[in-house]
Amino acid sequence: MSSTTSTRATAPTDHTVATGVPAHAPRRDDRGRSGGRRIGSHVFLIILAIYFITPLWWLIVAATKSNSGLFTGTGGPLWFDDQFAFFDNIAGLFTHQGGVYWRWFANSFLYAFAGGAGATILAILAGYGFAKYRFRGRGPFFTIVLASVMVPLTALVIPTFMLLSQMGLINTPWAVILPSLLNPFGVYLMRVYAQDAVPDELLEAARIDGAGELRTFAQVALPLLKPAIVTVLLLSVVGTWNNFFLPLAVLTDPELLPVTLGLNRWTALSNAGAGGEQVWNLITTGSFISIIPLILSFLFLQRYWQGGLAIGSVK
Amino acid sequence: MTSNTMEATAASAVRSRRDAPPRPGGGARLVRRRQRWGWLFVAPFAIVFAIFLVLPLGYAFGMSLFTSTLATGTEFTGVANYVKAFTDPLFLEGMLRVLAYAVVMIPAQLLVALVAALVLDTLATRVSKLSRLLIFVPYAIPVVIGALMWSFLYSPRFGPAATIFSMVGLDAPNFLAADSIFGSLVNIVTWQWAGYYMIVIYAALRSIDPTIYEAARIDGANGWQTATRIKLPMISSSMVMVITFALIGTLQFFTEPVVLRSVAQGAIDAAYTPNMYAFSLAFSYSQFNYASAIAFSLGALVFAGSTVFLFLTRKQSGLK
């Protein structure tokens, strides 16, 4: 009982500290603001939230319907059917085309995490190097990295495809993972963050204590970079998970597709019309399952990225 | 951004100069040797940067200078592919189309994101926290899945539009017809990205020192004046960043129209955007040389466009 009370008492403080957003408590009580406007603001927000969440609601509902229920359901497109087919649909995902859906799902994980984690590690190292060492050529190279943020990555897909095909990497996981390691914006974020978050005095003290450069980095700097690391990791994972153009160009083997491409392929086949290929219920259920991991990561890592996304834009 | 770096470099140069004098000569050499560690930290990224950015760009440019035909084989044709691209109606129409998308879509996303962030900034209730999260959720949904979901919602066979419009006694419009596909795509992109931009703007708003509002309130500023004369100017650098990203993203428009193409074949052709055109040239027609020229031209135009934009807004962004 007492522990519950104390948790509740400290919770708001934790939240404020964790988001990294300063608490403006006095301003938040809306003094001098009329009740009508407060209600107006809330109504506005709720309408916006409904707009943004409706497609997701539709997907949740659709994932519980059978193939025919999607067209002729009793509840309409935005409400559940009498028949609850969610588990049948999941079973369908295991049997349709030999359960290739789960293969796609695993591929997505592999590409997103190998590519995302790799890009993040490179960004941490480079960002720290740029922020804390004054090596020769630092200024010009960083300027080039910054400029490259404005190079549209899709313009690189066709030449990357040609290079990878010369290396014999087309239709291998490497064709997606290796190009995903490139994240200049992550380097920029990490540098801006490391500049302030890791005080030079602290590094100096570690060196005086006899720590080498690598140890200073791993034990002193790395823990201080945590919010930026989570943010860059999320951004890179989302970037790789989202990438459509690159895998579309470099993968043709159905076994290697990420889940997004696989579902798009099923949709194209279903639209093309052949009766046996119409698997709308599997597409909706498959889409629903495929978005769960990222939504959950964002929910659980909220306190890191909400502050982190502002890095580099706040002066 | 560039001059920002230079400022930072200048500042750090000052700092190291200030640090240097007290050290004995040997110490300075030690410090200089230590700075080489910087390259070791940057090296892994530099290698990836060289292989997957510099090399493909150079390769694309090289490829674009050649033309390959069955009759004559591959021969050097100089800028011929670029002359062809900038007189090719399919490429030019695609370019104009993504510009039109940029003109409509970016203000739409920005307006939603900005108003939502400003409203959220004045509230700290459970409803406001929950709506903030719900508005952001589409960002966590892959673009392909988002576009698939909307293609279902737009579909006259599955979608709720018919039900909703019949409640007010109207026929549902066909969202996937040639004359409405533009708006349908704008809606998908706004839905997907506005929440992300909102979070960035909101975080910038929260970093403003609240004592400024106190001062403004004492001077008699109302909510609207506080928003337009204090908050907006103070978050202009985030706004510039958001617009730059939106601009770069919009000009590369690819995923959403490709996904919608399978349900709206008549409304979206294979050359709907320059990226789609380059893709179909390369992978449907094996015209890799011409496709490289298109991709390189698009890349150069996007780069030039965002650089010009950053230059024009250098005052607002504080990047001078």
Side-chain angles (χ1 to χ4, degrees):
Chain A
M1 193 66 204
S2 67
S3 73
T4 330
T5 328
S6 70
T7 325
R8 212 176 283 153
T10 54
T13 346
D14 277 345
H15 179 75
T16 322
V17 171
T19 50
V21 172
H24 307 315
R27 171 158 79 90
R28 298 291 147 193
D29 62 7
D30 296 281
R31 271 167 303 165
R33 184 175 263 279
S34 65
R37 271 184 64 188
R38 259 181 74 98
I39 293 170
S41 301
H42 277 106
V43 169
F44 170 77
L45 282 179
I46 291 168
I47 292 172
L48 263 191
I50 290 174
Y51 163 70
F52 280 96
I53 214 67
T54 302
L56 199 64
W57 172 252
W58 172 84
L59 186 65
I60 295 172
V61 170
T64 67
K65 293 182 179 177
S66 67
N67 210 11
S68 59
L70 280 168
F71 295 94
T72 56
T74 47
L78 292 176
W79 198 249
F80 298 96
D81 232 350
D82 293 339
Q83 186 198 358
F84 186 82
F86 182 63
F87 296 106
D88 294 341
N89 291 343
I90 296 216
L93 287 175
F94 275 101
T95 52
H96 188 67
Q97 295 181 355
V100 71
Y101 173 82
W102 301 102
R103 192 58 211 261
W104 295 339
F105 199 67
N107 290 340
S108 274
F109 263 91
L110 172 69
Y111 302 154
F113 284 94
T120 309
I121 292 170
L122 296 184
I124 298 168
L125 291 173
Y128 176 75
F130 276 126
K132 293 297 161 188
Y133 294 94
R134 339 247 161 262
F135 52 89
R136 196 183 291 266
R138 180 181 80 140
F141 185 35
F142 190 69
T143 306
I144 293 171
V145 171
L146 262 190
S148 75
V149 171
M150 291 182 286
V151 174
L153 291 179
T154 53
L156 301 173
V157 169
I158 289 169
T160 303
F161 166 83
M162 292 186 281
L163 287 171
L164 290 170
S165 76
Q166 284 180 1
M167 292 187 248
L169 292 175
I170 294 300
N171 263 325
T172 67
W174 296 112
V176 178
I177 295 171
L178 290 177
S180 305
L181 296 178
L182 180 73
N183 184 357
F185 184 64
V187 174
Y188 166 71
L189 285 187
M190 206 50 92
R191 186 219 153 126
V192 171
Y193 192 82
Q195 196 96 48
D196 298 329
V198 183
D200 287 336
E201 295 74 16
L202 212 59
L203 299 179
E204 209 50 52
R207 284 178 189 131
I208 289 165
D209 287 346
E213 294 303 311
L214 280 181
R215 210 175 133 179
T216 310
F217 165 71
Q219 296 191 340
V220 180
L222 212 48
L224 295 171
L225 294 175
K226 208 163 142 194
I229 294 173
V230 175
T231 307
V232 172
L233 184 66
L234 271 175
L235 288 176
S236 325
V237 167
V238 169
T240 320
W241 190 280
N242 258 338
N243 200 342
F244 182 66
F245 201 162
L246 179 72
L248 193 64
V250 300
L251 301 176
T252 48
D253 181 356
E255 292 276 300
L256 288 174
L257 298 183
V259 69
T260 47
L261 258 80
L263 289 170
N264 184 50
R265 174 177 255 198
W266 277 359
T267 315
L269 283 175
S270 297
N271 272 312
E277 295 294 346
Q278 297 215 346
V279 287
W280 302 111
N281 59 327
L282 300 186
I283 295 167
T284 53
T285 310
S287 302
F288 172 66
I289 293 173
S290 79
I291 62 174
I292 294 174
L294 271 190
I295 291 187
L296 285 185
S297 345
F298 271 102
L299 278 182
F300 286 121
L301 295 170
Q302 255 190 84
R303 55 201 203 113
Y304 295 105
W305 56 260
Q306 289 207 341
L309 286 182
I311 303 169
S313 67
V314 180
K315 287 183 67 86
Chain B
M1 285 195 205
T2 317
S3 59
N4 196 19
T5 329
M6 273 148 56
E7 271 169 35
T9 322
S12 50
V14 171
R15 211 176 304 144
S16 53
R17 218 176 294 139
R18 196 177 50 205
D19 284 351
R23 290 168 196 282
R29 203 182 314 133
L30 200 72
V31 168
R32 216 172 311 131
R33 192 173 306 152
R34 200 179 71 210
Q35 302 310 351
R36 287 189 203 144
W37 273 89
W39 265 116
L40 291 179
F41 278 107
V42 174
F45 172 76
I47 292 168
V48 168
F49 189 82
I51 298 179
F52 291 105
L53 195 124
V54 180
L55 193 59
L57 273 184
Y59 194 67
F61 185 66
M63 285 287 290
S64 68
L65 300 178
F66 290 84
T67 302
S68 179
T69 57
L70 281 175
T72 56
T74 304
E75 57 180 355
F76 182 80
T77 47
V79 294
N81 278 324
Y82 291 96
V83 174
K84 190 174 159 194
F86 283 93
T87 50
D88 182 343
L90 287 177
F91 175 63
L92 294 178
E93 273 166 29
M95 218 49 230
L96 283 178
R97 193 172 287 124
V98 288
L99 281 177
Y101 273 108
V103 168
V104 176
M105 212 144 72
I106 297 174
Q109 296 172 70
L110 217 62
L111 193 70
V112 174
L114 181 66
V115 174
L118 283 170
V119 170
L120 283 173
D121 189 50
T122 61
L123 300 169
T125 58
R126 272 186 202 176
V127 175
S128 75
K129 276 184 199 134
L130 182 67
S131 358
R132 192 173 77 210
L133 213 55
L134 293 182
I135 295 171
F136 179 74
V137 158
Y139 175 72
I141 295 172
V143 176
V144 177
I145 306 289
L148 277 181
M149 278 157 62
W150 279 105
S151 76
F152 278 108
L153 288 168
Y154 289 152
S155 153
R157 291 195 290 164
F158 305 89
T163 324
I164 293 171
F165 279 86
S166 68
M167 280 193 295
V168 284
L170 289 170
D171 284 336
N174 180 5
F175 296 106
L176 299 169
D179 53 352
S180 50
I181 198 77
F182 186 91
S184 303
L185 280 165
V186 167
N187 174 54
I188 298 182
V189 176
T190 307
W191 174 83
Q192 190 105 43
W193 292 97
Y196 173 74
Y197 297 143
M198 174 201 74
I199 292 283
V200 174
I201 297 171
Y202 174 75
L205 284 172
R206 296 298 302 231
S207 70
I208 298 174
D209 181 358
T211 55
I212 296 175
Y213 304 131
E214 203 57 32
R217 207 173 52 83
I218 290 165
D219 287 346
N222 60 27
W224 172 255
Q225 287 166 326
T226 313
T228 53
R229 304 218 186 135
I230 300 177
K231 292 186 179 181
L232 263 184
M234 290 196 76
I235 56 164
S236 53
S237 70
S238 327
M239 297 292 286
V240 168
M241 188 179 101
V242 163
I243 296 172
T244 312
F245 280 159
L247 186 66
I248 297 171
T250 308
L251 297 179
Q252 319 181 53
F253 210 23
F254 181 75
T255 309
E256 293 89 343
V258 168
V259 172
L260 244 55
R261 203 169 121 75
S262 65
V263 289
Q265 201 109 37
I268 300 175
D269 56 55
Y272 194 71
T273 72
N275 253 339
M276 288 171 71
Y277 187 39
F279 187 88
S280 81
L281 281 174
F283 297 103
S284 308
Y285 301 99
S286 292
Q287 294 191 21
F288 283 99
N289 299 88
Y290 187 41
S292 298
I294 297 275
F296 198 84
S297 308
L298 174 68
L301 289 174
V302 173
F303 185 82
S306 37
T307 310
V308 166
F309 175 76
L310 284 176
F311 179 77
L312 292 178
T313 56
R314 63 201 184 280
K315 267 202 194 100
Q316 283 77 23
S317 64
L319 298 180
K320 280 183 278 294

